[in-house]
Amino acid sequence: MSVITPELLVRFDVPGPRYTSYPTADRFVDAFGEADYIQALAHRQTGAVGKQPPLSLYLHIPFCESLCYYCACNKIITKHKEQAATYLHYLNKELALHTRHLGRGQAVSQLHLGGGTPTFLSDAQLRQLMAMLREHFAFVPGGEYSVEVDPRTVDESRLAVLAELGFNRLSLGVQDFDPDVQKAVHRIQPAEQVFQLVAAARRLGFESVNVDLIYGLPLQTPESFERTLAQVNQLRPDRIALYAYAHLPERFKPQRRIHAHELPSAAGKVAMLSRSLDALTDAGYVYIGMDHFALPEDSLSVAKRQGRLHRNFQGYSTQADCDLIALGVSSIGRVGATYSQNAKTMAEYADLLDQGRFPVVRGLSLTRDDLIRRSIIMALMCQGHLQYESINLAWLVDFKTVFDAELRQLEAMQSQGLVQLSDSGIQVTPMGWFFVRGVAMVFDRYVQKDRDRSRFSKII
């Protein structure tokens, strides 16, 4: 029997933010700039009581050797490896600016290299990058240090270098194993290649291997994607990220190479998601939430059972809420009650650093209302429940009075079986957990004011 039927998906899945932050990045403003970011760094230095919590680092490596047609990431398509050397030069400048304001040796418990293709960097360049980071920061034992890997750019010897450098988690971009789909999106990588890499990662002692999948790609059918799911279950990665493809060629030029008539129908996408939920849960994976699945013994599943889930710009995480320093072109970070984003083009990024300035070009300083609503949304998204008293005590408000309109909206969701309301709090039901984004949206005042959700995708 299906965990979530196509009928339920059609009824309850609505377009909206993914809430890797609140407010979401589309609310950032150009008025937020370098001075605001420097002030946020200063507040971190002066505002901590006792020992400062460790930092999280995100580095964006924008280079790719070839173009994947579905991609909506900020990237630079090139085969010229010398561009990476120039990029590392500017990353080092950005690191030096942070050291000037934060001091050397700040503790780091989480690192993620994303892209683009981080493994575009040569082994020597990866060693140079990690040496640069260790010069400025102190990586704590037992932290989560992950890197996104394009299976076409690595072999076992390259994985050994990543392990040597301290990475303990890998994220492999698979998307789909079907050869026809791979050809349609210009990303051909045989399944055998991925299986060999995962086996090598196990031998090398990586703590966790994640596989990314995308449904809704051209030439996919529910039956073909079921075959991919069967292969993934055989592969048995520790974590699986299952994303829906959103076809927005007017915003993302690479997608213009995808033939719209080859895309699956809405009903086909619904069927793919429904079958995916069945296949992965039947194989023993725990549905963490939104687009994340994990084996029961994985730390993400343990965190969910223990009520310790968190959510950041990379999705669900076991790491406690902490400041995120973002480095590189287009990177988004969070320090204190602010969000910031770097320049999106290499030219602007380099120009600002050549001037001795942080490359921050937009962001947001959160209001008290933003912070209260963020705590509510993250509690619902991560723990699936909320106690009114916790908000009352933390923010000195009366929840039922302040959020009376939102509670009335939730009454309709209660009648639909998505939440349970009591005198003391809100509980997301097991069925509601599959549609938790819609529950969280009730408390998003920006979405409530702006009912045009065309800029967001559905889960399906």
Side-chain angles (χ1 to χ4, degrees), residues 35-78:
D36 303 284
Y37 186 61
I38 290 173
Q39 185 178 50
L41 294 176
H43 285 168
R44 173 179 167 85
Q45 290 300 90
T46 60
V49 178
K51 188 177 180 180
Q52 290 179 335
L55 290 166
S56 176
L57 298 182
Y58 173 72
L59 274 79
H60 188 76
I61 310 296
F63 305 106
C64 294
E65 288 192 20
S66 64
L67 179 66
C68 301
Y69 296 164
Y70 56 80
C71 185
C73 298
N74 185 294
K75 70 252 175 221
I76 298 171
I77 307 300
T78 181

Side-chain angles (χ1 to χ4, degrees), residues 45-206:
Q45 290 300 90
T46 60
V49 178
K51 188 177 180 180
Q52 290 179 335
L55 290 166
S56 176
L57 298 182
Y58 173 72
L59 274 79
H60 188 76
I61 310 296
F63 305 106
C64 294
E65 288 192 20
S66 64
L67 179 66
C68 301
Y69 296 164
Y70 56 80
C71 185
C73 298
N74 185 294
K75 70 252 175 221
I76 298 171
I77 307 300
T78 181
K79 293 186 182 294
H80 298 289
K81 299 290 184 176
E82 64 272 14
Q83 291 194 33
T86 302
Y87 192 65
L88 290 176
H89 166 75
Y90 282 104
L91 279 176
N92 205 30
K93 284 192 171 193
E94 192 177 3
L95 285 166
L97 283 174
H98 281 92
T99 297
R100 185 185 306 170
H101 290 275
L102 291 175
R104 194 176 300 273
Q106 288 267 321
V108 170
S109 63
Q110 189 177 48
L111 166 68
H112 185 80
L113 263 60
T117 305
T119 45
F120 177 92
L121 302 181
S122 68
D123 291 349
Q125 289 168 336
L126 285 167
R127 287 192 172 95
Q128 179 187 350
L129 174 60
M130 293 308 296
M132 285 161 40
L133 291 173
R134 289 193 170 96
E135 179 185 350
H136 294 277
F137 298 102
F139 290 86
V140 303
E144 290 189 355
Y145 307 123
S146 62
V147 55
E148 296 176 9
V149 171
D150 182 338
R152 300 169 298 173
T153 64
V154 299
D155 54 19
E156 183 166 357
S157 65
R158 295 218 74 200
L159 293 185
V161 171
L162 293 173
E164 169 202 327
L165 291 175
F167 290 99
N168 52 25
R169 297 176 180 275
L170 298 177
S171 182
L172 301 177
V174 170
Q175 325 316 348
D176 194 303
F177 280 130
D178 186 279
D180 291 333
V181 175
Q182 291 183 359
K183 185 177 179 180
V185 299
H186 199 237
R187 187 186 177 100
I188 297 174
Q189 52 188 36
E192 295 78 11
Q193 185 179 34
V194 176
F195 274 74
Q196 290 168 6
L197 287 175
V198 171
R202 303 286 190 217
R203 289 193 296 271
L204 291 166
F206 282 91

